[in-house]
Amino acid sequence: MVQNKIPVAFVSGATGTVGRAVVDRLLRENFAVTMFSRSSGKLVEAERELLEKYPMTILRICVGDVINEKDVMGAIKWTHNHSGDIDLLVTCHAAQPMIKPTVNLSIAEFMSVIESDLVGTFNVNRLIGSNMIKTGGGCIVNLSSIHSIATYPQRAAYAAAKAGVVGFSRALAIEWGSRNVRVNCISPWQVKGPRTTNANGHQISDVIKRSPSGKLIEAAEIANTVLYFWNTPGCTGPNMVLDGGVLSSAWYMPYGE
């Protein structure tokens, strides 16, 4: 990384709830940001709204798929030509969890989740990480999930993919540490957003009762954790769990009752 330059960030899955919050926070911190997503319409809408909010910032949008090497390479080149070398990579892309009994889960269904969440993360990390090594270093934050540690029934593909992201991130932290590339992971519990808002209200209220904090995780909390990793040079390899105390609890009653 070149000192005293505007830091450049690349965010995959940038139009989702978490990705959008991460981009918003990075722009507020004066990063030049490239938003990468499969949805061109959502990218254009996000670009317009964010530039209205932060008119003096540098924001680029690139359409592509994380598992497509050509798409990712094109986005890297676009970012390099318009903003400079990438200093921070945040992978926020995620597949639907494929809720289904494992005995009825086809190989194609299983692989669709593995390809998006694990292979896609591998692809983006490999391509951008190799550039970071060449340019003097960087910081990578991969988004995983609490399902990497504790999961629900009928989530075999999702749990396997998210656990893979944590293991992969740890392996890269060890492999690339001497090259000044730090790699960390964030595993949030249920994040407040469309997936939880649109779910059955009774189910969500039951989920919240499981939490000592009595609330879901906010996307802004994840964005804050990204900045923590960016600002903490001695931190590489950990998986930061954001769960409001859920995994620490052995209490058998709903909280607040």
Side-chain angles (χ1 to χ4, degrees):
M1 290 181 290
V2 178
Q3 299 298 319
N4 301 320
K5 80 176 185 74
I6 297 174
V8 178
F10 186 103
V11 182
S12 67
T15 56
T17 299
V18 174
R20 177 69 179 265
V22 168
V23 172
D24 187 289
R25 185 58 194 275
L26 292 176
L27 289 174
R28 195 171 2 135
E29 296 293 323
N30 296 316
F31 279 76
V33 181
T34 293
M35 299 180 70
F36 187 76
S37 171
R38 292 183 298 180
S39 175
S40 59
K42 289 182 178 180
L43 278 172
V44 171
E45 179 183 4
E47 180 186 38
R48 176 181 57 78
E49 293 175 354
L50 288 167
L51 287 178
E52 286 179 0
K53 187 175 182 181
Y54 305 109
M56 303 302 292
T57 56
I58 301 171
L59 178 63
R60 315 289 182 189
I61 59 174
C62 288
V63 180
D65 195 320
V66 290
I67 66 171
N68 187 307
E69 184 172 354
K70 184 177 179 181
D71 287 354
V72 177
M73 287 297 295
I76 294 172
K77 184 177 180 180
W78 172 263
T79 302
H80 176 79
N81 290 342
H82 291 84
S83 300
D85 297 322
I86 296 170
D87 304 299
L88 172 64
L89 165 64
V90 189
T91 62
C92 299
H93 58 271
Q96 293 294 326
M98 191 64 68
I99 304 169
K100 197 172 186 179
T102 303
V103 294
N104 298 329
L105 194 65
S106 70
I107 292 177
E109 289 171 327
F110 182 85
M111 287 305 299
S112 69
V113 180
I114 296 295
E115 284 184 352
S116 175
D117 285 14
L118 183 53
V119 178
T121 299
F122 159 76
N123 192 40
V124 177
N125 275 241
R126 175 177 62 94
L127 296 173
I128 292 181
S130 64
N131 274 344
M132 288 179 172
I133 290 171
K134 294 174 184 176
T135 58
C139 177
I140 297 173
V141 182
N142 291 318
L143 194 70
S144 181
S145 165
I146 199 173
H147 287 271
S148 66
I149 303 167
T151 191
Y152 306 155
Q154 301 186 14
R155 305 296 199 284
Y158 193 70
K162 293 304 184 182
V165 169
V166 174
F168 173 66
S169 300
R170 186 180 300 116
L172 286 188
I174 300 306
E175 183 178 343
W176 291 349
S178 63
R179 311 301 294 273
N180 198 33
V181 177
R182 296 183 292 113
V183 187
N184 294 288
C185 221
I186 302 174
S187 288
W189 187 54
Q190 295 274 5
V191 178
K192 186 176 180 181
R195 286 192 184 185
T196 51
T197 303
N198 295 333
N200 181 278
H202 177 69
Q203 290 178 332
I204 293 304
S205 65
D206 287 345
V207 167
I208 293 173
K209 287 177 183 178
R210 176 74 176 82
S211 171
S213 68
K215 63 183 183 67
L216 302 177
I217 301 302
E218 299 281 349
E221 295 176 273
I222 299 172
N224 289 342
T225 307
V226 169
L227 280 176
Y228 167 79
F229 284 134
W230 168 258
N231 289 317
T232 310
C235 190
T236 187
N239 175 35
M240 181 75 77
V241 177
L242 303 179
D243 69 344
V246 170
L247 293 182
S248 298
S249 174
W251 185 235
Y252 56 91
M253 294 289 288
Y255 285 89
E257 294 187 4

